[in-house]
Amino acid sequence: MELFKGAYEGAVTATSYAEILLAKAIKVHGADCPVKYPDTAYRLPVITALSGEEVNTIGDLAPILNRIRTTNIKEELTLENAKLNGEATLYAAEIIEALRYLKGVKPDQYPYCGFVPDPILRKFGVPLVDQTIPGVAVIVGKGKDSKSTAKMVKDLQAKGIMIFLVNEVIEQCIEENVKIGAEFITFPLGNFTQVIHAVNFAFRAGLAFGGIPAGQRERAIEYQAKRVFAFVIQLGPNDVVKYAAEFGAMFMGFPTVTDQPVAEEIPDWYQSEPDYEKIVKLGLELRGIKLKIVDIPVPITIGPAFEGETIRKKDAYVEFGGGRSTSFELVRMCGVDEVEDGKIEVIGPEIDEMPEGSIFPLGFMVDIYGRKMQEDFEGVLERRIHYNLNYGEGLWHVAQRNMMWVRIGKNAHAAGFKIRDFGEILIAKFKSDFPAIVDRVQVTIITDKEVIEDKIKIAIEKYAARDARLKGLTDDVETYYSCTLCQSFAPNHVCVVSPERLGLCGAVSWLDAKASNEINPLGPNQPIDKGECLDTEKGQWKNLNDFIYANSHNTVEAVNFYTLMENPMTSCGCFEAIMAILPMCNGIMITTREHGGETPCGMTFSALAGTCGGGMQTPGFMGLGRRYITSKKFIKADGGLARLVWMPKELKEFLGQDLIDAAEHEGLGADFVDKIADETVGTTEDEILPFLEEKQHPALKMDPMM
Ligand code: SF4
Ligand code: NI
Ligand code: NI
């Protein structure tokens, strides 16, 4: 079979090429030259996942390359052998690529991104598990023309698919103004062997979320086949190395669709589809990806790919709020007679009456009736406004409540977007995302200067009442909620969410979990009555333990809510931040996904994440949601906020006044925040200790942590 022959020849070519480059690198840099990708805890992830061989220097690579050649490259043309040839090609590509990163060089220039670091992988953890991102497409080669190729990529973006691009298809997308880059979940990897960065991304998912130990080849592959919904689209003429790489994909459980004629297709695995309108559909089918399609009658594309899109002032057609005009957003629970389903009313000027570059006020009042709706869910639904509008291509929404700031891009205006279309998006999304609690929705949009001043009073009153209610919600409630959403990636991981401790991804609060349980009673958020308290101080309850034990497949026996030193909560992989003990300072530090730099515990975020992810308990280390830091229950058994001695500046700024308030509440004084060191003070314990002493940081006088 021609395909098998290609795989064999491709594997020979790829490994020989790797050998030549490796020999050259050893000659130039010496066998001792360290080799690693930037910002990952998994060294060379393909090798780490499949064989677990430790790679530190380029000298370490030679025996690995030899081994895989001997064991895998087989001339006899069978499907089994073709996959083994594919595996060898993945090794070769990983080696070739890693060699480009020697001596800390950044080998990739715009528009190519090359290796995708761990923090980005973790960032997409939750959307991948909750299937906001339902699958992954790897597009390789050159499409028949830029227009239809770009159309296909945009179709994938609108469907929420994560996309990796390799070869000329990248330039074709740029030519047609397709938005690419990490913020659009569309990664322009580069050329040729750079396709391996899609592969090492997938393998890291297994290592980081699945908790699969390095070198467990069978389990690593099983994880890919079961949990990573990826497929390959091969465009344009193929060559033997690409064939071999495609069998590498098949080895991982990922099918290929090509626009080229194929003499002998492999049904379900390697199929031809020359019609560009049908390629995506076939790929999704072959990989078993099901989409939840909502048709929204607006002239712009709606999809998670556009969530990260920023619209600069100069690209904005019109702007609202952000301190320059009055703005607010409000979701209200209403009675059955108060809501006319589907009604959209615009009070004030439509976009046609707004000159380019102008600023107008904007208010959204979303009235919801639902038999199962509760007042507690208003805030949960209100926060969805941010995502739902941001998903619009050419729409930009930041902040919330009466701080809301919105821009409509010139491109969206040119496409015909109207103010009332905000209402179309909100109604369609609320009804499709929350069918169990939302029966009727109506939206009032206010752009009138006078009316808004009147209506905002209603909103401000509501916010105040809601905040008062939230303040009164403490961990004393009887019922906590589980979250096992991440089990689709981290099979043994269980979060338990309480009013004063949100999930470590930062995306699931106790109220979110409560609402989601109402929406989907058999879903990932289950109510658990705490039952008997086994340890008041550390926060351990019998029924929570039982639940966690059963749902972690009998791996986690007990969890303490309020300490990181003994049986801390497990970490899946998509945590916003990580805390770690600093023995010399008698305290703890926290670093965030956004902060790439070194930290006083001697590890970067990626390295730390590599030690405590995958649903394991690691005393002294724990993933956490940013907002947990200002909770009154923050590691209470360890001494609370007073233990915090180091955090990145970025996190200090993010928490802002809330952190100061929390410090005052703990009796630490408003100036406590200034006693917390950050990267400008130092990134080792030795560097920050004198600062802590000078500032008389309270942790230094507390009981020893260990
Ligand atoms: Fe995952 Fe926990 Fe967040 Fe749920 S709360 S999505 S399990 S990290
Ligand atoms: Ni947007
Ligand atoms: Ni997770």
Side-chain angles (χ1 to χ4, degrees):
M1 187 181 222
E2 200 186 316
L3 288 172
F4 296 165
K5 191 155 177 285
Y8 167 72
E9 284 170 4
V12 172
T13 309
T15 48
S16 307
Y17 187 52
E19 187 182 27
I20 293 168
L21 292 182
L22 184 58
K24 204 167 123 199
I26 291 175
K27 202 164 156 203
V28 175
H29 302 289
D32 289 343
C33 178
V35 59
K36 68 192 273 280
Y37 286 127
D39 224 354
T40 178
Y42 306 101
R43 300 162 192 272
L44 274 53
V46 171
I47 296 171
T48 302
L50 290 175
S51 66
E53 286 152 304
E54 204 166 296
V55 178
N56 293 306
T57 64
I58 50 179
D60 295 335
L61 291 170
I64 296 175
L65 185 59
N66 280 333
R67 173 186 60 77
I68 197 74
R69 264 181 147 166
T70 333
T71 55
N72 280 51
I73 300 196
K74 308 227 159 112
E75 215 177 332
E76 193 198 337
L77 301 181
T78 65
L79 177 60
E80 230 18 72
N81 285 348
K83 287 190 198 171
L84 290 175
N85 287 329
E87 183 186 12
T89 307
L90 301 183
Y91 272 75
E94 183 86 317
I95 290 170
I96 292 167
E97 273 304 298
L99 291 175
R100 296 174 63 237
Y101 286 82
L102 294 182
K103 312 232 145 167
V105 296
K106 294 199 173 66
D108 296 296
Q109 304 292 323
Y110 173 86
Y112 307 136
C113 68
F115 183 78
V116 181
D118 290 358
I120 296 186
L121 169 78
R122 292 178 192 281
K123 179 174 167 206
F124 290 112
V126 175
L128 281 165
V129 301
D130 75 7
Q131 298 194 337
T132 313
I133 300 175
V136 182
V138 183
I139 309 181
V140 185
K142 182 178 183 189
K144 62 178 181 185
D145 62 77
S146 296
K147 257 210 163 52
S148 41
T149 308
K151 190 159 174 249
M152 188 169 75
V153 174
K154 288 210 70 164
D155 180 28
L156 286 163
Q157 287 183 330
K159 291 182 162 60
I161 303 286
M162 174 179 274
I163 305 165
F164 292 95
L165 303 171
V166 188
N167 299 118
E168 294 94 332
V169 59
I170 295 173
E171 282 74 19
Q172 292 182 307
C173 283
I174 293 172
E175 200 183 311
E176 293 295 317
N177 291 316
V178 177
K179 304 207 168 85
I180 56 172
E183 61 275 38
F184 302 104
I185 329 178
T186 304
F187 300 92
L189 295 176
N191 287 302
F192 191 49
T193 48
Q194 274 162 291
V195 70
I196 200 67
H197 300 310
V199 174
N200 63 42
F201 187 91
F203 275 124
R204 274 178 289 152
L207 294 160
F209 300 108
I212 299 170
Q216 303 221 351
R217 180 172 174 269
E218 300 310 316
R219 283 182 64 193
I221 292 306
E222 189 195 325
Y223 185 91
Q224 296 301 320
K226 272 200 183 148
R227 303 182 190 270
V228 179
F229 292 92
F231 62 96
V232 179
I233 297 176
Q234 153 68 44
L235 301 176
N238 219 341
D239 59 45
V240 292
V241 175
K242 282 189 201 154
Y243 277 132
E246 282 147 21
F247 277 93
M250 222 179 288
F251 161 73
M252 299 168 74
F254 310 151
T256 295
V257 179
T258 176
D259 64 347
Q260 301 297 300
V262 180
E264 287 169 88
E265 292 188 325
I266 306 174
D268 296 340
W269 287 104
Y270 202 105
Q271 289 189 213
S272 165
E273 177 51 77
D275 183 347
Y276 275 48
E277 303 276 324
K278 293 185 184 155
I279 290 178
V280 168
K281 189 164 172 287
L282 180 59
L284 295 172
E285 270 171 25
L286 292 183
R287 192 61 187 101
I289 300 170
K290 299 241 171 357
L291 301 173
K292 206 172 73 178
I293 308 265
V294 200
D295 218 0
I296 306 175
V298 292
I300 56 171
T301 314
I302 311 278
F306 304 106
E307 188 196 336
E309 158 199 56
T310 41
I311 294 172
R312 273 179 267 275
K313 197 169 166 39
K314 67 172 177 42
D315 299 319
Y317 179 79
V318 51
E319 184 169 356
F320 312 90
R324 325 252 299 277
S325 67
T326 307
S327 66
F328 74 90
E329 57 194 7
L330 179 68
V331 167
R332 283 189 302 185
M333 178 174 104
C334 292
V336 60
D337 299 327
E338 295 168 303
V339 184
E340 188 182 317
D341 193 28
K343 181 177 165 195
I344 303 169
E345 189 185 1
V346 180
I347 304 178
E350 236 313 337
I351 199 163
D352 324 298
E353 300 154 68
M354 299 174 176
E356 184 170 322
S358 57
I359 297 172
F360 274 78
L362 184 66
F364 294 127
M365 297 181 88
V366 181
D367 294 337
I368 290 177
Y369 162 75
R371 274 158 300 151
K372 290 197 164 169
M373 177 71 184
Q374 297 178 21
E375 222 167 342
D376 266 354
F377 302 158
E378 287 178 344
V380 173
L381 297 183
E382 197 173 282
R383 267 193 301 132
R384 299 306 305 178
I385 294 178
H386 170 74
Y387 296 98
N388 293 340
L389 296 188
N390 254 338
Y391 283 177
E393 183 178 10
L395 302 184
W396 182 78
H397 176 288
V398 287
Q400 46 175 326
R401 293 186 168 181
N402 54 336
M403 306 297 288
M404 173 178 92
W405 188 3
V406 173
R407 281 174 181 159
I408 299 176
K410 285 178 185 160
N411 55 343
H413 173 253
F417 187 84
K418 298 274 186 286
I419 299 293
R420 71 166 279 122
D421 290 336
F422 282 127
E424 298 283 4
I425 299 173
L426 293 174
I427 290 173
K429 282 299 225 172
F430 277 128
K431 293 189 87 162
S432 69
D433 291 352
F434 301 93
I437 53 174
V438 174
D439 293 329
R440 300 181 186 179
V441 196
Q442 79 185 8
V443 179
T444 312
I445 306 164
I446 302 138
T447 55
D448 181 273
K449 275 199 186 67
E450 270 137 46
V451 178
I452 198 159
E453 296 307 331
D454 197 35
K455 297 283 188 199
I456 196 174
K457 288 181 198 147
I458 305 172
I460 289 186
E461 213 171 284
K462 261 280 181 199
Y463 302 151
R466 228 187 259 161
D467 288 346
R469 155 105 177 107
L470 276 178
K471 270 222 173 80
L473 266 184
T474 67
D475 277 3
D476 293 335
V477 299
E478 222 1 83
T479 308
Y480 290 0
Y481 285 88
S482 65
C483 187
T484 48
L485 194 59
C486 282
Q487 288 203 346
S488 59
F489 265 22
N492 293 335
H493 173 72
V494 182
C495 275
V496 175
V497 184
S498 69
E500 294 180 271
R501 181 170 183 178
L502 80 173
L504 49 88
C505 56
V508 180
S509 71
W510 184 80
L511 279 178
D512 292 316
K514 189 171 175 227
S516 119
N517 177 253
E518 203 61 62
I519 293 161
N520 181 3
L522 298 175
N525 301 108
Q526 293 300 317
I528 321 167
D529 281 338
K530 290 187 290 187
E532 186 193 341
C533 182
L534 303 177
D535 191 324
T536 346
E537 192 172 304
K538 293 181 185 142
Q540 194 184 129
W541 289 270
K542 170 137 196 338
N543 294 355
L544 298 185
N545 280 351
D546 292 348
F547 184 97
I548 292 169
Y549 184 66
N551 285 278
S552 65
H553 306 101
N554 307 349
T555 54
V556 181
E557 293 182 0
V559 164
N560 286 320
F561 258 62
Y562 307 132
T563 172
L564 93 147
M565 300 308 290
E566 191 189 322
N567 294 57
M569 192 107 67
T570 60
S571 306
C572 48
C574 50
F575 25 74
E576 288 189 297
I578 297 182
M579 64 173 120
I581 179 170
L582 291 179
M584 245 171 89
C585 302
N586 200 33
I588 59 130
M589 55 148 280
I590 297 178
T591 187
T592 62
R593 197 164 55 205
E594 281 67 23
H595 179 73
E598 289 297 333
T599 75
C601 74
M603 286 187 260
T604 60
F605 175 85
S606 296
L608 270 169
T611 67
C612 72
M616 290 173 299
Q617 284 181 314
T618 320
F621 300 89
M622 187 168 66
L624 70 157
R626 286 162 170 254
R627 289 278 163 207
Y628 176 50
I629 301 167
T630 55
S631 160
K632 296 187 182 83
K633 293 283 163 45
F634 177 69
I635 54 167
K636 215 159 165 275
D638 302 325
L641 193 59
R643 285 288 184 189
L644 182 53
V645 300
W646 190 93
M647 70 204 294
K649 243 181 138 57
E650 175 266 329
L651 181 58
K652 271 190 198 175
E653 281 158 18
F654 171 84
L655 294 171
Q657 189 60 36
D658 288 350
L659 185 59
I660 297 172
D661 292 348
E664 287 203 285
H665 179 271
E666 296 279 295
L668 299 168
D671 66 340
F672 173 69
V673 178
D674 306 320
K675 297 177 184 173
I676 306 171
D678 56 35
E679 68 273 23
T680 62
V681 174
T683 51
T684 64
E685 283 205 78
D686 285 322
E687 280 168 13
I688 66 170
L689 194 53
F691 171 88
L692 300 174
E693 279 164 349
E694 188 204 311
K695 297 275 181 185
Q696 302 190 334
H697 192 291
L700 301 176
K701 293 215 176 66
M702 294 170 79
D703 290 341
M705 272 201 96
M706 352 205 299

